[in-house]
Amino acid sequence: MSIHKTEAIVLSTQNFRQTSLIANFYTRDFGKLSGLLKGIRQEPFKFNSSVDVFSLNEIIFYKKTKTSLHLVSQCDLKNDFRLIKNDLERIKKAFSLVRLINILTAEEDKNEDIFNLAVDCLAQLENNSDIDKILIIFKIKLLDFCGFKPHLDSCVSCNNKIIAQAKFSLKFGGLLCDRCVGKDIKSRTVFRGTVASILYIEKNNFDNVLRLGMNQAIKRELNQVLDAFLEFHLDKKLYNEEKVEAGGVI
Ligand SMILES: [Zn+2]
């Protein structure tokens, strides 16, 4: 058993026995991990944080070797992204963000890019006027950092440059050229702007992509394509069980 200190975003929580809580964190130094906060429900002030979902904390934990549930001895709130909590739509976006990290990342697989992306996006969700765009940026960069990004630079099947209108294939995970489009009859036409937006967001840093303009039609299509891509490759529905439990975050 070893002791560690790291920054941690709360992805989800569940009650444990009468007095304790198990939190699923995404940490800067260890990736996703589960921690037991003993006695927190009996003595709410034992920890300097109420461990709300999507809050950022600094935790000290004992890393167990025989189990994946570690013991958290200290949890200090660094940022509860308070302004998100004033608006139900912002809360929903923040819940989607932590849920996607939970679904897409493996246990204890460190990725500091994902951690920084999540903190940057949560900060933007507090006061950016275009929260749909923030979540789209988050999805595109998260897919890239997780190694799932769609193949859009050329035809996913023959690798030829795409000149004419391309079709997006979920089955192949990218664009198909005119000659290969018959390989997936379910492939769908997408706007050039949708493809260009994904490529731009993948290739540029966060501050630059915040300035990218997106019209409503492109945003709608980006959401459809990204969610379909995620669901197809994860083999699960993303949003049918989504619910915001106000008691947990307000
Ligand atoms: Zn092709």
Side-chain angles (χ1 to χ4, degrees):
M1 199 161 68
S2 50
I3 186 164
H4 301 276
K5 180 157 84 172
T6 187
E7 289 178 284
I9 298 163
V10 180
L11 302 180
S12 62
T13 59
Q14 64 184 90
N15 291 341
F16 182 71
R17 298 199 174 132
Q18 294 294 314
T19 58
S20 303
L21 191 75
I22 292 175
N24 205 10
F25 296 106
Y26 195 81
T27 68
R28 182 183 288 284
D29 301 297
F30 301 89
K32 186 169 72 180
L33 60 83
S34 300
L36 175 64
L37 295 99
K38 272 190 181 167
I40 189 170
R41 288 165 57 225
Q42 200 173 32
E43 301 170 62
F45 299 109
K46 183 177 173 186
F47 296 87
N48 292 321
S49 171
S50 43
V51 200
D52 290 339
V53 173
F54 69 75
S55 65
L56 174 65
N57 301 271
E58 184 170 82
I59 61 169
I60 294 179
F61 70 102
Y62 292 89
K63 198 168 189 305
K64 304 278 186 71
T65 49
K66 292 192 178 140
T67 158
S68 57
L69 181 61
H70 308 295
L71 181 65
V72 177
S73 62
Q74 220 172 301
C75 184
D76 297 320
L77 181 68
K78 288 193 74 177
N79 192 344
D80 62 357
F81 302 102
R82 184 164 298 264
L83 296 178
I84 293 177
K85 299 178 184 183
N86 295 336
D87 181 322
L88 188 60
E89 290 308 310
R90 291 178 192 272
I91 293 172
K92 284 182 185 171
K93 293 279 187 281
F95 266 71
S96 295
L97 180 150
V98 290
R99 193 146 169 268
L100 284 169
I101 296 177
N102 219 349
I103 293 171
L104 277 171
T105 61
E107 209 72 27
E108 296 185 32
D109 184 13
K110 176 183 171 175
N111 188 323
E112 218 168 341
D113 287 334
I114 293 175
F115 181 86
N116 289 331
L117 173 69
V119 173
D120 286 344
C121 287
L122 287 168
Q124 289 297 324
L125 285 180
E126 283 199 285
N127 47 33
N128 194 297
S129 58
D130 192 348
I131 56 172
D132 288 335
K133 186 171 88 174
I134 299 303
L135 203 68
I136 287 169
I137 292 170
F138 175 77
K139 285 177 188 171
I140 292 169
K141 288 208 167 285
L142 181 68
L143 279 167
D144 188 5
F145 295 151
C146 290
F148 275 115
K149 69 176 179 178
H151 185 109
L152 303 173
D153 286 322
S154 58
C155 172
V156 65
S157 178
C158 71
N159 216 23
N160 277 342
K161 200 168 183 319
I162 291 183
I163 300 154
Q165 180 78 329
K167 289 201 168 187
F168 185 80
S169 162
L170 290 174
K171 192 166 104 183
F172 286 87
L175 294 179
L176 288 172
C177 73
D178 279 353
R179 277 184 305 171
C180 300
V181 74
K183 292 180 180 175
D184 179 7
I185 53 164
K186 288 184 178 168
S187 58
R188 51 173 285 182
T189 306
V190 286
F191 297 128
R192 277 178 191 278
T194 298
V195 174
S197 299
I198 295 175
L199 290 172
Y200 183 84
I201 291 168
E202 283 174 358
K203 287 172 183 161
N204 286 275
N205 68 32
F206 191 73
D207 289 339
N208 282 343
V209 300
L210 282 179
R211 290 194 284 272
L212 178 67
M214 270 180 213
N215 66 37
Q216 283 302 332
I218 297 279
K219 276 196 272 195
R220 200 165 38 244
E221 189 170 84
L222 278 165
N223 269 323
Q224 287 166 358
V225 168
L226 291 166
D227 289 349
F229 182 77
L230 279 161
E231 289 182 351
F232 185 83
H233 289 279
L234 295 167
D235 200 22
K236 65 168 86 173
K237 285 271 172 215
L238 282 177
Y239 298 114
N240 58 353
E241 55 195 321
E242 184 165 6
K243 59 180 184 213
V244 176
E245 290 173 15
V249 292
I250 295 172

